[in-house]
Amino acid sequence: MKSQRNISEFILLGLSYDKNIQIFCFVLFLLCYVSLLVGNLVILVSILNSYLFHQPMYYFLSHLASLDIFYTSSVAPKLISDLLLGTKSISYDNCMLQVFTMHFFGSIEIFILTAMALDRYVAICKPLHYMIIMNRTRCNFLVLVAWIGGVVHSFAQLFMIIVLPFCGPNEIDHYFCDISPLLKIACTDTHVTGIIVLVNSGIVALVTFVLLFGSYVIILLSLRNHSAEGRSKALSTCGSHITLVVLFFVPAIFIYLRPPTTFPEDKVFALFYTIIAPMFNPLIYTLRNAEMKNTMRKVWCQGYYQTKHTIN
């Protein structure tokens, strides 16, 4: 189905008109993006080249690291280039592609985070049955469900936008193409579409957040029966997950769990779940995780000495 439109591109208004702020944001987000790529690639390579890949928690973490790279890469390079060059136009087709990829990888990440919470719940609350419940077949099934859920969600979002007519103006008050800013400039009544978006994105994000929060409450309550060492280790792991969940979900819920209106603050909140949370993933999952740090040290130091030995 093709929408009725007489525009071929959109203009992204970006974060600010001030040149000095644009230069500051360019340097900041370039550093953030490079840190995100390096950090998540280090985690991914470390897990894939160690015994950790066979553990459910790190198996899900390897998927999360790859998703963070794809998810942020659908937004950050365009944002950085716009800040540097000052050209903020985006073609209609690329705008629709950005809507799809953002919701595709973002929704898969939500489902993977849910699978990681389930893994921690089983590991702490049912430790004797952990390897039976979280076997590789079940882990693969959870990952498959996450990808299927991402496909269903993102195609639904894309279809709702593609069928809308756009006849001007073509200025989007954001730094990437998203549902609410596009609904605002569509030349038709988008009230029903806005409600569908609220249900499809906002309610899903809220329900997932409540389930995740509830699972961690149960986990924390069950820690009373563990030893001091066990409580410390579990709290360290769960603390990492809770930090990431808050950084990712709270801003997303603020933006999507409301009627399709836009506020200047939306762009700031969107930075948390598009760039900041994915950037902090490597820090959150490594600095407080001795097992991950030891594995990274072995993988990268061994690789360094092997390379040095080969050169010599």
Side-chain angles (χ1 to χ4, degrees), residues 6-299:
N6 57 10
I7 58 175
S8 58
E9 67 176 17
F10 297 101
I11 304 298
L12 298 170
L13 298 183
L15 295 170
S16 173
Y17 295 106
D18 189 295
K19 290 293 182 182
N20 293 326
I21 295 179
Q22 289 183 16
I23 293 171
F24 172 78
C25 289
F26 165 75
V27 175
L28 175 63
F29 295 129
L30 178 61
L31 291 174
C32 289
Y33 185 54
V34 171
S35 300
L36 179 147
L37 292 177
V38 172
N40 281 292
L41 283 173
V42 166
I43 284 183
L44 188 58
V45 173
S46 299
I47 293 174
L48 293 178
N49 288 278
S50 70
Y51 69 96
L52 292 181
F53 184 69
H54 302 289
Q55 297 184 24
M57 172 183 169
Y58 297 101
Y59 175 68
F60 292 132
L61 181 56
S62 66
H63 284 277
L64 183 65
S66 353
L67 286 168
D68 280 336
I69 293 173
F70 290 123
Y71 176 57
T72 303
S73 294
S74 64
V75 173
K78 174 63 178 170
L79 169 62
I80 293 168
S81 64
D82 286 349
L83 289 168
L84 176 64
L85 303 175
T87 55
K88 299 181 179 180
S89 62
I90 183 171
S91 69
Y92 176 87
D93 292 337
N94 285 337
C95 185
M96 296 301 108
L97 178 62
Q98 195 172 62
V99 170
F100 175 80
T101 54
M102 276 290 299
H103 285 271
F104 179 60
F105 293 117
S107 56
I108 296 175
E109 181 156 339
I110 286 175
F111 296 133
I112 291 294
L113 287 171
T114 306
M116 293 176 74
L118 173 64
D119 171 71
R120 289 301 85 201
Y121 169 79
V122 176
I124 295 172
C125 298
K126 299 181 182 295
L128 298 179
H129 302 91
Y130 177 69
M131 295 310 298
I132 298 174
I133 297 174
M134 298 304 296
N135 56 58
R136 183 46 62 94
T137 301
R138 186 163 282 112
C139 290
N140 288 333
F141 174 75
L142 291 172
V143 171
L144 177 63
V145 169
W147 281 81
I148 293 174
V151 169
V152 172
H153 169 77
S154 54
F155 270 108
Q157 299 289 80
L158 180 64
F159 180 78
M160 286 187 293
I161 294 300
I162 285 181
V163 298
L164 293 177
F166 295 97
C167 46
N170 65 338
E171 292 183 340
I172 299 175
D173 189 17
H174 217 303
Y175 61 89
F176 67 93
C177 289
D178 202 9
I179 304 293
S180 293
L182 286 168
L183 290 178
K184 187 177 180 180
I185 63 173
C187 48
T188 186
D189 183 10
T190 59
H191 178 72
V192 175
T193 306
I195 294 175
I196 297 174
V197 170
L198 186 147
V199 173
N200 193 20
S201 293
I203 298 298
V204 169
L206 178 63
V207 170
T208 307
F209 177 74
V210 171
L211 289 175
L212 290 174
F213 188 80
S215 70
Y216 287 120
V217 169
I218 295 172
I219 289 172
L220 292 174
L221 290 175
S222 70
L223 291 177
R224 293 176 299 180
N225 301 323
H226 288 65
S227 64
E229 183 182 354
R231 283 198 300 269
S232 177
K233 185 177 180 180
L235 284 171
S236 177
T237 303
C238 291
S240 302
H241 294 198
I242 293 171
T243 303
L244 176 61
V245 165
V246 170
L247 279 175
F248 188 89
F249 277 92
V250 172
I253 290 171
F254 172 79
I255 289 177
Y256 292 108
L257 193 64
R258 68 174 196 237
T261 54
T262 57
F263 300 107
E265 296 80 11
D266 288 354
K267 291 180 277 190
V268 177
F269 278 97
L271 289 172
F272 280 92
Y273 61 82
T274 56
I275 296 177
I276 295 175
M279 180 189 68
F280 277 113
N281 273 356
L283 295 175
I284 289 171
Y285 283 105
T286 55
L287 291 182
R288 301 182 64 185
N289 189 323
E291 191 174 28
M292 189 69 208
K293 285 190 288 188
N294 291 334
T295 299
M296 289 169 60
R297 195 177 296 115
K298 289 178 183 178
V299 169

